[in-house]
Amino acid sequence: MIILFYIAGAIAVISTAAVIVQTNIVHALLYLILSLLAVAVVFYVLGAPFAAALEAIVYAGAILVLFLFVIMMLNLGQHTRDQERSWLNARMFVAPAIMSALLLGQFLNVMSQIDQDMAIARVGVMEVSALLFGPYVLAVELASILLLAGLVSAYHLAKK
Amino acid sequence: MLELIWLLPTFPLLGFLALVLTGGTLPKQIAGPIGTGSIGLSFAVAALIAIEFIGSGEDFFVYEAWTWMSVGDFNPGFTFYLDGLSTVMMLVITGVGFLIHLYATGYMADDPSFARFFSYMNLFVAAMLMLVLGDNLVLLYLGWEGVGLCSYLLIGFWYTNPANGYAARKAFVVTRVGDTSMAIGLFLLFAQLGTLNIQDLMHAAEGEWEVGSGYAVAAALLLLGGAAGKSAQLPLQTWLPDAMAGPTPISALIHAATMVTAGVYLIARTHILFELAPSVQLLVAWIGLATLLISGFTAMTQSDIKRVLAYSTVSQIGYMFLGLGVGAWSASVFHLMTHAFFKALLFLASGTVILSLHHEQNIFKMGALRKALPVSFASFLIGSLALTAFPFTSGYFSKDEILLGALAVEGVGTWLWLGGVIGAFFTGIYTFRLFFIVFFGESNVEHHVDKEVGGWHMNGPLIILMILALVGGFIHVPVEAVFSHGEAHDEHHVSGLIHGIMIAVPLIGIGISYLFFMSKTFSVEKLMSSGLAQSLHKFWLGGWGFDTLYNALLVNPFLFLARINRKDLVDSFYALIVTLSQVANGMIVRTQTGSLRWYALTLVGGLVIIVTLGVLL
Amino acid sequence: METIPVEHGLILAGILFCLGLIGVLTRRNIVFVLMSLEVMLNASGLAFIVAATRWGHAEGQVMFLMILTLAAAEVAVGLGLIIQMFRRYQTVDISALSEMKG
C-alpha cells in the first residue's frame, strides 16, 4: 500500500512536468488529467476515499472537461502548435526555474525538520458528511453561493 | 467732563468705520459731513476738556478705558493721560485737522474716491490722537504705526500712478527704519525698567540710572532714531519731499501739522530720559541744526511749489529739534503749534493755487497771480511772514524762544545760535522767493486762470488759519508743569544786540529775495552762470545727494541681491525635494510595464524573498 | 497500521506546487497559465489531505472540498474571461494584455 503512494506520487510529478512543457494543448490537458488521477490514487492511499472520488469526478471530470470545451470553442488545436513551439524555448525557463528552486529548497529545508509519521487510517464518507452537515454547514452554504456567483459571472462574461 | 476724553479718538474711528464698511461708495454729500463732522465733534470735546482741565489747575489727569493686555507684570491699558503737553497736541490735531478736513471737502470734490480719502484721514486722526494721549509707550507705538500706515495709504492715494506708489513705499520704508530703532528702544526700556507706562518709566529711570549711563544713552539714542524717522530729520529725511505726491490736504495735515511732529512729541514726552543722556540731547540739537541748514539750502533751488514747502517743513522741524536739544522744551512745543498754523495755511493756500491752475505745480509756470487769486495771495503773505519770523507774527515769538534757548547753552551754544540765525536768513530767502515768483513778476501761466477755486469750505479754513498764524504767538502754551524740572529757564538777560540780530536777519533775507526776484536788481541768471553755482545748484537740488547715496549704498545692493536670488535659493531646496520625488517616480514607473508575465514574476520574486526572510529569521 | 512519514506527503505537494509555479511563469498561452494554476490549487489540496491523515480528522477533507469548489468557480470565471479576451484580441497571447502600462 505504501509503495502505491510513492508510485502514484512519481506518476503525478512526471505527468505534471509533462504538462508544462507540452506544445499541443490538448495533449497537455490529457497529461493533466493523468496527473489528477494519480493524485486521486494518492488520496485513496492516504485513507481519504471521499476526497479521491471527488478529485476524480469533479476535478478531472468536470473542470478539465470544461477546459476542453473552451479549447475546442477557441479552436486552439493543431494550427497553434507552431506558435506554441516558437514561444517555448529554454531561455524562458531560467528565471522561473531559479525562483521555484529557491522556493522548493526552503520548503525542503523546513520540511526536513519535521520528523513525524502519519498512520493511514481510513476516514470515510460518513465522518466527512457528519462534519459537513454539522459544524461546517455554513461553509457549505457559502460554497454554494460562491458557485452561484461563478455561474452568473461565467454566463455574463461568455455572452456575446 | 474730563472722562469724555475717550471720545476723542473714538469719533474719528467711528467715522473711519462708517466710511470703510460702506466700501467707499457713499456719495460725497454724506461722506464729507461724516468725515469732517467726526473731527469737528472731537474738536468740540477737546475744547471743553481743555477748558476744564486748564481751569482746574491740576497737573495731569489719567483715564483708563480698559486694560489692553495683562501678562505677568506687564499690563498696559488703553489709558489716556492728559497734561499740558497732550492738551496742546490734541487741540492742534483736532483743531487744525478739522479745518483741513473742511478744506478737503472742497479740494477733493471732483475726486471719485472721495469717501476712501476721508476714511483714511479719519483713521489717521484717530491714530494720531492715540499717539499723543496714550499714557504708555505701547499705546504710543500703536498710534505711531497707525499714522505711518495712513501716511502710506494717503501718499499713494492716487495709486494708479506708479510714481505715487513708489513715493509711498519710500516713506514707509524710511520711517520703518526709525520705527525699528524705536521698537528696540522700547524693548530696552522694558527689559531694564520693567514698565512702559511713561510716567513710571521716567521716575524709574531717574531713580536707577545716573546721568550719562550707558542704558540711558542707548535708550535715548534708539528713541531718537524713531523720532528722526518720523519727523524727517537727518539721516532719514529723504522721504518727506517725495511724499508731496499725495493730495495737498494730506501734505498739510500729515506732513506739516501733525505726523511729522510726532517725533518732537516723543522727545518732549520722554524728556527726562534725554536729560539723563546729555550727549544724546546735544546730538538732537546738532541733528536739528544740520537738517535745518541742509534743507534750507535745498529749498532755495526747488521749482515745485509743494517741494519748497516740504523742505521748509523739514527745516522748521529742525528748529524744533534744536530747541529740544538745548532744553528749551516749551519753546519747541510752542513752535510746533505755531508751525502747524502757518504751515497748514501755506499748504492749503498752495492747494488753492494748484487747483486754480488746473494742477500746475511748477512755480516757473506761475506768476503775477495776486490779482487773480486774492485769498491765496493773502494767505501766502501772512503764512510767509509767519514762517520767516516777521516781528509779532506767531512764528517770530516761537523761533525767538528757541534761539534764545540755544544761546543759553554753554560752550557750543553760540554756534548753535549762529546756525539757527543763518537758517533764518535762508528761510527768509526761499520763502519770499516762492512768494515773489508765484504772485508777482510776469505771468508764465499756460492756461488762463478764470477764477480762484474757493467756496466757504476752502476759504473759511484759510481765513481762520490766517488769523491763528497772526495772533497765535500770543497763545500761552500751558506746559510748565510738564517740564517743570527740566526747563531751561528763560531768565535770558540778553543784550538788545542779540534781539536786534534775530529780528534783522530774516528781514535781510526777505530784502535780498526782493532784490533778486521782485525788482530784479540782481539777476539770478548771472549768479547761476558760473560753474560753481551750477554744480552747487544741482547738489542742493538733489537734496545734498542723500537720495543718490542711499540708492548706491542700500537700494542698489539690495536690488542686486534680489536679482541674483531670483531663483530663490531657499525655495530651490523645496524644489529639490520635488525633483527628487519626480526622479524616484521615474525609476519606479518602469516597473509598471503592463505585462502580465512581468507582474507574475515579480509576485513570485516577492514571495521568495519573504519566505527566505521567514526561514532565516 | 502502516505509516508514511508526513514530510514525504508534504514534499510531494511542494514539488507539484513549484511545477505549477514554473508553468504559470513560463507559458505564454493563457490557457496553459490557467492550467498551471489548477495544478497549484490541486497541490495545496493535497497538502490538506496529508494533514487530515496526519491528525486523523476529517476536517482536512472538508477543506479540500472547499478548495475544489473554489477551483471550479475560478475556472468557470477564468474561462469566461478567456473567451472575452479571445473575442477582443483574437489571440490567446498573454502579452496582448498590456494596456495598463506606466
Side-chain angles (χ1 to χ4, degrees):
Chain A
M1 204 56 159
I2 310 302
I3 291 291
L4 203 51
F5 168 80
Y6 290 103
I7 295 174
I11 293 176
V13 171
I14 293 171
S15 55
T16 310
V19 167
I20 63 178
V21 295
Q22 278 298 312
T23 51
N24 188 336
I25 199 163
V26 181
H27 289 183
L29 211 56
L30 292 174
Y31 273 115
L32 188 54
I33 292 180
L34 178 61
S35 163
L36 290 174
L37 289 175
V39 169
V41 171
V42 168
F43 284 170
Y44 184 78
V45 167
L46 287 179
F50 184 53
L54 276 181
E55 172 94 0
I57 297 171
V58 175
Y59 220 129
I63 294 175
L64 291 192
V65 171
L66 187 61
F67 255 101
L68 201 59
F69 285 161
V70 172
I71 288 171
M72 289 302 140
M73 203 165 81
L74 298 181
N75 214 2
L76 299 176
Q78 195 68 12
H79 72 276
T80 57
R81 192 155 50 107
D82 305 315
Q83 189 184 38
E84 285 291 336
R85 204 177 285 142
S86 73
W87 284 346
L88 196 65
N89 45 11
R91 203 169 47 86
M92 306 283 271
F93 276 97
V94 173
I98 291 175
M99 283 204 271
S100 273
L102 278 172
L103 210 54
L104 193 60
Q106 279 151 28
F107 188 60
L108 289 175
N109 184 24
V110 170
M111 285 304 125
S112 60
Q113 286 156 17
I114 305 174
D115 201 15
Q116 293 168 17
D117 287 345
M118 50 183 175
I120 312 291
R122 193 167 172 283
V123 180
V125 183
M126 204 68 110
E127 290 90 341
V128 179
S129 327
L131 276 183
L132 279 178
F133 279 95
Y136 296 109
V137 63
L138 199 56
V140 175
E141 299 307 321
L142 287 175
S144 63
I145 291 176
L146 179 65
L147 283 172
L148 178 64
L151 172 71
V152 170
S153 47
Y155 163 73
H156 199 74
L157 284 169
K159 190 163 69 148
K160 266 246 200 295
Chain B
M1 180 56 82
L2 286 179
E3 292 80 38
L4 293 180
I5 193 170
W6 65 275
L7 281 176
L8 276 177
T10 313
F11 282 132
L13 206 56
L14 288 176
F16 163 71
L17 285 173
L19 291 168
V20 140
L21 292 175
T22 52
T25 53
L26 286 179
K28 64 176 200 280
Q29 288 82 0
I30 303 184
I34 291 181
T36 317
S38 58
I39 313 291
L41 284 171
S42 281
F43 175 64
V45 174
L48 290 171
I49 290 181
I51 293 173
E52 183 172 331
F53 178 69
I54 297 177
S56 74
E58 295 279 332
D59 277 350
F60 63 89
F61 169 75
V62 179
Y63 177 78
E64 171 154 1
W66 73 84
T67 309
W68 188 354
M69 53 180 123
S70 187
V71 182
D73 281 335
F74 179 58
N75 31 22
F78 268 87
T79 314
F80 297 106
Y81 180 82
L82 190 66
D83 64 358
L85 178 59
S86 34
T87 310
V88 173
M89 296 298 296
M90 87 180 170
L91 283 175
V92 167
I93 294 169
T94 51
V96 177
F98 172 66
L99 293 172
I100 294 180
H101 274 72
L102 193 56
Y103 180 89
T105 53
Y107 189 86
M108 303 292 290
D110 292 328
D111 197 295
S113 314
F114 189 82
R116 179 164 68 99
F117 181 78
F118 275 93
S119 69
Y120 291 158
M121 292 273 267
N122 275 9
L123 183 63
F124 170 80
V125 174
M128 190 74 200
L129 282 170
M130 295 279 223
L131 200 162
V132 301
L133 289 174
D135 93 320
N136 54 61
L137 286 174
V138 188
L139 200 55
L140 190 147
Y141 196 68
L142 171 74
W144 195 269
E145 294 296 324
V147 299
L149 168 73
C150 294
S151 171
Y152 168 79
L153 289 172
L154 285 166
I155 293 175
F157 183 69
W158 291 313
Y159 55 84
T160 46
N161 182 353
N164 295 342
Y166 177 75
R169 276 201 308 282
K170 181 174 174 183
F172 193 74
V173 171
V174 175
T175 49
R176 203 85 194 100
V177 175
D179 294 347
T180 312
S181 160
M182 181 171 160
I184 297 178
L186 292 190
F187 297 153
L188 177 66
L189 284 170
F190 182 66
Q192 288 304 313
L193 297 174
T195 175
L196 282 178
N197 183 315
I198 298 184
Q199 300 308 313
D200 295 340
L201 200 61
M202 297 295 115
H203 288 135
E206 268 191 305
E208 290 185 33
W209 294 345
E210 310 139 9
V211 175
S213 73
Y215 285 126
V217 170
L221 209 52
L222 290 167
L223 287 182
L224 172 62
K230 201 60 106 187
S231 296
Q233 297 297 293
L234 232 61
L236 297 169
Q237 87 284 15
T238 50
W239 64 272
L240 192 53
D242 289 334
M244 295 298 116
T248 312
I250 69 134
S251 303
L253 183 61
I254 300 183
H255 306 125
T258 42
M259 185 178 98
V260 292
T261 57
V264 179
Y265 170 77
L266 177 68
I267 298 183
R269 246 301 163 237
T270 56
H271 67 272
I272 295 183
L273 198 61
F274 283 86
E275 281 164 4
L276 288 173
S279 46
V280 181
Q281 196 176 358
L282 197 58
L283 181 63
V284 173
W286 283 115
I287 286 180
L289 184 66
T291 312
L292 77 91
L293 285 176
I294 287 178
S295 41
F297 285 123
T298 315
M300 285 199 295
T301 60
Q302 297 295 322
S303 61
D304 180 334
I305 190 174
K306 283 175 70 174
R307 279 181 91 96
V308 177
L309 293 176
Y311 279 108
S312 166
T313 304
V314 176
S315 186
Q316 292 302 305
I317 299 179
Y319 270 103
M320 294 180 218
F321 266 56
L322 178 62
L324 292 172
V326 299
W329 311 104
S330 44
S332 300
V333 176
F334 184 40
H335 194 62
L336 192 157
M337 183 182 77
T338 58
H339 175 260
F341 296 149
F342 58 71
K343 197 44 75 64
L345 175 67
L346 282 170
F347 264 111
L348 294 187
S350 70
T352 309
V353 171
I354 292 172
L355 217 52
S356 306
L357 274 79
H358 310 291
H359 294 282
E360 176 62 66
Q361 292 187 247
N362 187 345
I363 57 176
F364 293 111
K365 295 218 178 89
M366 306 179 186
L369 288 175
R370 69 184 181 283
K371 295 267 175 23
L373 311 175
V375 180
S376 314
F377 176 66
S379 314
F380 248 94
L381 180 59
I382 295 179
S384 308
L385 289 175
L387 177 53
T388 55
F390 197 82
F392 300 111
T393 56
S394 57
Y396 163 74
F397 289 109
S398 52
K399 196 178 280 186
D400 246 29
E401 276 193 40
I402 292 181
L403 290 178
L404 289 174
L407 198 54
V409 174
E410 308 110 27
V412 299
T414 325
W415 294 107
L416 294 173
W417 177 83
L418 198 59
V421 168
I422 295 177
F425 174 62
F426 284 114
T427 306
I429 293 186
Y430 70 67
T431 312
F432 274 87
R433 165 183 178 265
L434 180 67
F435 182 66
F436 290 137
I437 291 182
V438 172
F439 290 101
F440 290 88
E442 302 126 26
S443 168
N444 291 325
V445 178
E446 293 174 346
H447 309 287
H448 180 64
V449 179
D450 329 310
K451 70 175 190 61
E452 188 171 29
V453 172
W456 66 274
H457 301 257
M458 297 172 72
N459 291 338
L462 285 176
I463 294 176
I464 297 180
L465 283 172
M466 277 195 259
I467 298 173
L468 282 173
L470 281 177
V471 305
F474 299 104
I475 298 177
H476 175 65
V477 176
V479 291
E480 301 86 9
V482 182
F483 302 119
S484 52
H485 60 144
E487 185 69 62
H489 294 290
D490 46 350
E491 321 287 334
H492 302 302
H493 301 297
V494 290
S495 62
L497 177 63
I498 304 286
H499 275 295
I501 293 180
M502 291 200 298
I503 294 181
V505 161
L507 293 177
I508 299 176
I510 297 177
I512 291 186
S513 175
Y514 179 86
L515 291 174
F516 267 98
F517 297 105
M518 179 77 147
S519 69
K520 300 286 180 28
T521 319
F522 301 130
S523 146
V524 179
E525 286 76 21
K526 235 173 42 174
L527 188 62
M528 294 286 292
S529 57
S530 73
L532 176 66
Q534 292 279 15
S535 44
L536 269 183
H537 178 91
K538 223 162 63 157
F539 184 54
W540 290 342
L541 184 60
W544 288 60
F546 269 95
D547 271 332
T548 343
L549 180 69
Y550 288 152
N551 249 355
L553 213 56
L554 299 170
V555 177
N556 286 342
F558 181 76
L559 286 178
F560 170 70
L561 285 175
R563 231 171 282 131
I564 61 177
N565 194 30
R566 193 179 288 143
K567 294 269 178 54
D568 200 351
L569 193 62
V570 177
D571 200 46
S572 60
F573 170 67
Y574 297 102
L576 186 66
I577 296 180
V578 172
T579 323
L580 272 178
S581 60
Q582 278 176 335
V583 164
N585 177 54
M587 292 196 298
I588 294 178
V589 140
R590 284 201 219 122
T591 60
Q592 306 276 343
T593 53
S595 156
L596 206 57
R597 304 181 65 215
W598 168 257
Y599 289 157
L601 199 66
T602 51
L603 202 77
V604 173
L607 177 67
V608 169
I609 291 174
I610 289 178
V611 168
T612 315
L613 284 175
V615 165
L616 286 179
L617 296 173
Chain C
M1 196 57 75
E2 294 152 337
T3 60
I4 303 177
V6 170
E7 61 261 27
H8 290 182
L10 289 177
I11 287 173
L12 175 64
I15 293 177
L16 285 177
F17 184 84
C18 287
L19 283 176
L21 191 61
I22 292 179
V24 168
L25 294 176
T26 316
R27 307 303 304 233
R28 230 164 116 166
N29 189 335
I30 201 169
V31 185
F32 271 101
V33 171
L34 207 55
M35 274 201 286
S36 311
L37 220 51
E38 291 307 309
V39 168
M40 287 162 81
L41 276 168
N42 183 43
S44 53
L46 173 60
F48 271 101
I49 298 294
V50 166
T53 312
R54 156 74 182 86
W55 295 102
H57 291 161
E59 268 88 345
Q61 297 193 35
V62 171
M63 194 60 211
F64 173 72
L65 183 65
M66 296 302 127
I67 291 176
L68 204 56
T69 316
L70 170 76
E74 174 225 329
V75 163
V77 175
L79 287 174
L81 284 173
I82 288 177
I83 292 175
Q84 272 294 342
M85 177 193 162
F86 190 72
R87 285 215 193 101
R88 201 183 281 258
Y89 294 98
Q90 266 73 48
T91 177
V92 288
D93 186 355
I94 214 178
S95 317
L97 302 171
S98 61
E99 279 181 36
M100 284 183 66
K101 208 183 298 214

